[in-house]
Amino acid sequence: MANRFSSSSSPTIAISRSDLEELLALINTARDAFFVFALYNDAATREQVISEIKQRIAPTPVFEWTYSPESPYPISYLDRLTEEQKREHAVVFFLDLELATDAEWKSLDYTREYFAEHPHGLIFWVTSEGRADAARKASHFWAQRTAVYDFTIDNSEKQTAWLSRLEEPELLDEEYESAKKQLELYQKLYEEYSSLSEQPTEAINDLSAKIAKMREHLDRLRKSAQFQRKLLIALDELDKEAPPLASSPAPPEIAILVQEALKTLNARERALILLRRLAGYSPNEIAEVLGISEEAVKVSSYRAERKLRDILAPKLRSRDALTKR
Amino acid sequence: MNPAKTLDKAIFLFDPIKPLSTDEQLESYYVDRGSAVAIEIKAMLDSSDIEEKTPIKILFTGHKGSGKSTEINQLCRDLNGQFFIVRVVMRSRPDVTYVDVLLKTAMSLFKAASDEKVIKRAPAQIASGIWEEISRFIEKTIFGEVRVRSDVIVPPEFTSKVNVFGIEFESKFDNEPASRDKIRQVSEKRITEVLDKINLLADAVRIKYGKPVLFIYEDTDKLDPAVAREVFYERGQTLTEFRASAIFLMDISLRYSEQFTSLKQNFHDCKTLPNVKLSARDGKPYKDGEALLSEIISRRIDASLLDNDARSKIIRGSGGHIRSLVTLMRNAALIAIARQSPKIEKKDAIRAVNRLQGDFIALLESKHYPILHARHEDKRISSDPEIQELLERLALLEYANDSVWCDVHPIVLREVEERAKAESKDQKAENDG
């Protein structure tokens, strides 16, 4: 994420301006098809970058394709275009491809000649997991990319917020209920529009994408609730006098030192250690719920554990000295 | 076509999607790699004795982006006077079978021959007899149980009829899974007839047109490895039974599989296109390789648009892998355009290299680094799955001179060396402690 400045359209979000300018240079100069990947870790930032690109390349047509189980193959974006649109220079954003199955990813390899036949710049928005998926599951397509542009932001604050919420059951319940209501509304609207004799296709497609996203969000919240239950048990244990790590081979006084040290960590660090070491979740599972990369979970947990060790080390040394005396 | 005089134009000429394909592009931008592979393929085809019914079947492989398609396109150009070249374009799908390959072979030959009016050179009666036979075969066998669309007007004249059927076949076979299954089922039962018709027309082309047929199979290297194994290993014999020479592009992973030796039964040889080496196996710089890559760049972009330092940085960063070179050049040009510079400077090349490096490093796992370090030390290549995986990811690049060897892609070399250094420091501390 080198060379970061504040985005002109959004002063609150810092993205890589140089990556944006280079992507715009590509859109403005290339007249044949090109494939690029745009890396993101925050949906709001992604929307802002898309919006800025749209503004700055106008009147070049821009199309969006969002993954949905009903239309899972990216090549299907062509079905929605007229013959004229297929022939003219345009930019197409592909969203949420992370939800694709292996076979759907692989379809990029099988259809890349069709993609290449149209003068469209194809921009695939992916998280770091999506980038790895593309490289592994659609390796021929991936090999023909022009570049990967990095629009990730430092979202450690956001992660902390997520992790903190895990310690506050009311917030999570509220969010779950509200998301459920929203999903019900979308589903009702979808049914109603679909039953009309003259169906509003655009609205139906939009609702279909929204329903898919909301289901994904609810799924994530459901998993968070499971996390929450285990985490709260672990936190309760920390407050009890009995050592929570009693099952560990460590002597009780060490367990108490660990408890005290854990309490000095911030919510994010504490939650990561407890989720990994006490509740036994894998980095992959934690990453899925938090919507961040597995690598980020590993790095953050490693740092939190190192911090814990640094806090514990002098205490353990003085305890050893006392014992020896 | 001249080298690009502006960076905007250069973007077109450094395109990682499209190989050089037209005569004009090849004439202007193709640089002879002096590769033994192309020379050997030509020599083998020269020696093919079609009259004795021993046409040559060659597998041609190489890593993704090593330049196979461009080499094949140039080879076709070179051999155009000697052979009647038929390109068989396999649209890759997860369910491709050897029957598909043979049907595409037949239909591509029928179409190429009717386009060229080749058979019309034969006395009218014979020509008409051949086309009638082929037209009947397509109508009764290939379309036997599949209905031709009612709006398709089938002309009475046989060559035109074959052309119309050819278009209908492409459409049904590529877009209608149910029709494809039916055509496949019927054709598989009558595969000998499919081969007969290929032979009938290939013979007629050779005898009446004066050139033997050479099939070029494009994109058979993009088949799923499991599908490719089925097509080449298990059905290799049927696949190569027709009386014409052929070059099949094949995925390199098959080259290193245990079953590879069995391929020799059906194919005369397997040629691998190596990357352009920039240093010898012992690490000494190989100036010819650098000069070759420099020539590839010079053909496409005017010298005034690229600083020499930038050129060297890009050449070294590519590791002699052609698509890496093309991608780096395109990105360096974009970076220069974005900062409104009229030419590519060293800092643009560095940023382009760093961008590509980021992709590579993000996809490597900790377990890969010791393997990469060991290969950098010994340069040995093997069929070990982990080595093959790293070759597939291009973190390792294959080279050849007297022997085949590999080295770490220079774009990740520094990271590999730094990690190895840190590892050895930790190890030492552990031993000392």
Side-chain angles (χ1 to χ4, degrees), chain A residues 19 22 110 112-113 146, chain B residues 219 222 224 331 351 355:
Chain A
D19 278 33
E22 287 156 25
Y110 297 135
R112 67 192 198 300
E113 298 102 334
T146 285
Chain B
D219 283 349
K222 316 284 187 322
D224 268 354
N331 273 292
R351 186 163 159 76
R355 183 188 288 294

Side-chain angles (χ1 to χ4, degrees), chain A residues 249-283:
Chain A
E253 63 272 26
I254 292 186
I256 290 167
L257 283 178
V258 172
Q259 282 173 23
E260 283 171 358
L262 268 173
K263 284 177 188 170
T264 65
L265 300 181
N266 65 35
R268 166 192 161 87
E269 293 160 341
R270 190 166 60 239
L272 277 171
I273 291 177
L274 291 172
L275 284 170
R276 284 206 65 187
R277 302 295 168 204
L278 208 64
Y281 283 108
S282 70

Side-chain angles (χ1 to χ4, degrees), chain B residues 74-121:
Chain B
Q74 179 62 30
L75 195 66
C76 287
R77 226 172 141 236
D78 292 347
L79 295 170
N80 203 25
Q82 272 172 272
F83 288 89
F84 181 77
I85 294 173
V86 179
R87 304 183 76 123
V88 184
V89 181
M90 295 299 303
R91 289 281 193 190
S92 43
R93 267 191 308 270
D95 61 344
V96 169
T97 71
Y98 77 103
V99 179
D100 298 18
V101 181
L102 285 174
L103 280 173
K104 284 270 182 179
T105 306
M107 297 307 288
S108 305
L109 175 61
F110 300 161
K111 186 172 183 305
S114 65
D115 280 355
E116 293 276 323
K117 313 283 184 221
V118 172
I119 306 305
K120 288 204 166 168
R121 291 186 181 195

Side-chain angles (χ1 to χ4, degrees), chain A residues 63-311:
Chain A
F63 305 105
E64 277 187 28
W65 176 95
T66 304
Y67 176 88
S68 73
E70 294 76 32
S71 174
Y73 299 107
I75 194 71
S76 64
Y77 88 92
L78 284 169
D79 300 342
R80 284 158 42 194
L81 305 190
T82 63
E83 287 308 311
E84 198 187 341
Q85 286 171 325
K86 285 179 191 173
R87 282 193 301 271
E88 65 183 3
H89 176 55
V91 167
V92 189
F93 293 113
F94 293 84
L95 310 177
D96 296 347
L97 205 53
E98 278 89 357
L99 302 174
T101 63
D102 287 5
E104 288 155 3
W105 270 110
K106 186 71 189 160
S107 76
L108 287 174
D109 274 354
Y110 297 135
T111 49
R112 67 192 198 300
E113 298 102 334
Y114 295 102
F115 280 124
E117 282 167 7
H118 301 92
H120 299 162
L122 310 184
I123 301 174
F124 292 82
W125 283 92
V126 288
T127 58
S128 55
E129 290 80 11
R131 167 164 67 175
D133 280 345
R136 278 196 300 267
K137 297 171 186 170
S139 60
H140 291 284
F141 184 84
W142 165 259
Q144 293 185 328
R145 76 200 179 283
T146 285
V148 178
Y149 294 100
D150 187 353
F151 299 111
T152 56
I153 55 164
D154 179 1
N155 64 357
S156 54
E157 276 181 29
K158 232 178 177 180
Q159 287 174 41
T160 304
W162 253 104
L163 285 161
S164 305
R165 266 191 308 185
L166 290 176
E167 295 183 23
E168 294 176 58
E170 303 78 20
L171 279 182
L172 210 54
D173 287 347
E174 265 174 41
E175 193 171 350
Y176 186 80
E177 285 310 314
S178 143
K180 228 167 80 175
K181 277 184 192 153
Q182 239 177 312
L183 175 65
E184 281 164 13
L185 173 69
Y186 291 157
Q187 282 171 330
K188 275 182 195 156
L189 283 172
Y190 184 87
E191 280 164 25
E192 195 180 322
Y193 291 172
S194 304
S195 66
L196 295 174
S197 54
E198 276 184 36
Q199 292 182 354
T201 322
E202 211 167 315
I204 289 178
N205 286 342
D206 185 47
L207 279 168
S208 167
K210 281 191 169 113
I211 289 170
K213 275 188 188 172
M214 195 49 76
R215 281 188 181 141
E216 191 197 344
H217 182 56
L218 274 168
D219 192 42
R220 189 184 281 188
L221 286 172
R222 244 178 249 125
K223 283 184 181 159
S224 297
Q226 288 169 11
F227 268 42
Q228 191 183 57
R229 278 194 291 279
K230 280 203 179 185
L231 189 66
L232 289 176
I233 293 168
L235 285 169
D236 277 351
E237 292 292 314
L238 268 182
D239 290 334
K240 285 181 190 166
E241 280 186 22
L245 309 175
S247 58
S248 77
E253 63 272 26
I254 292 186
I256 290 167
L257 283 178
V258 172
Q259 282 173 23
E260 283 171 358
L262 268 173
K263 284 177 188 170
T264 65
L265 300 181
N266 65 35
R268 166 192 161 87
E269 293 160 341
R270 190 166 60 239
L272 277 171
I273 291 177
L274 291 172
L275 284 170
R276 284 206 65 187
R277 302 295 168 204
L278 208 64
Y281 283 108
S282 70
N284 182 28
E285 287 168 315
I286 299 172
E288 205 182 317
V289 169
L290 299 182
I292 58 173
S293 73
E294 192 178 338
E295 197 58 28
V297 172
K298 282 182 190 167
V299 170
S300 305
S301 313
Y302 171 76
R303 285 184 185 148
E305 285 176 24
R306 198 172 54 190
K307 193 169 166 187
L308 185 69
R309 273 202 304 274
D310 290 346
I311 296 168

Side-chain angles (χ1 to χ4, degrees), chain B residues 125-160:
Chain B
Q125 262 186 330
I126 299 175
S128 135
I130 290 170
W131 284 117
E132 189 177 348
E133 172 93 10
I134 285 171
S135 152
R136 197 169 40 237
F137 160 71
I138 300 175
E139 198 167 1
K140 303 288 175 211
T141 304
I142 296 187
F143 281 114
E145 292 182 32
V146 175
R147 288 171 71 90
V148 174
R149 278 175 298 144
S150 54
D151 59 335
V152 173
I153 300 161
V154 180
E157 200 261 318
F158 292 121
T159 32
S160 313

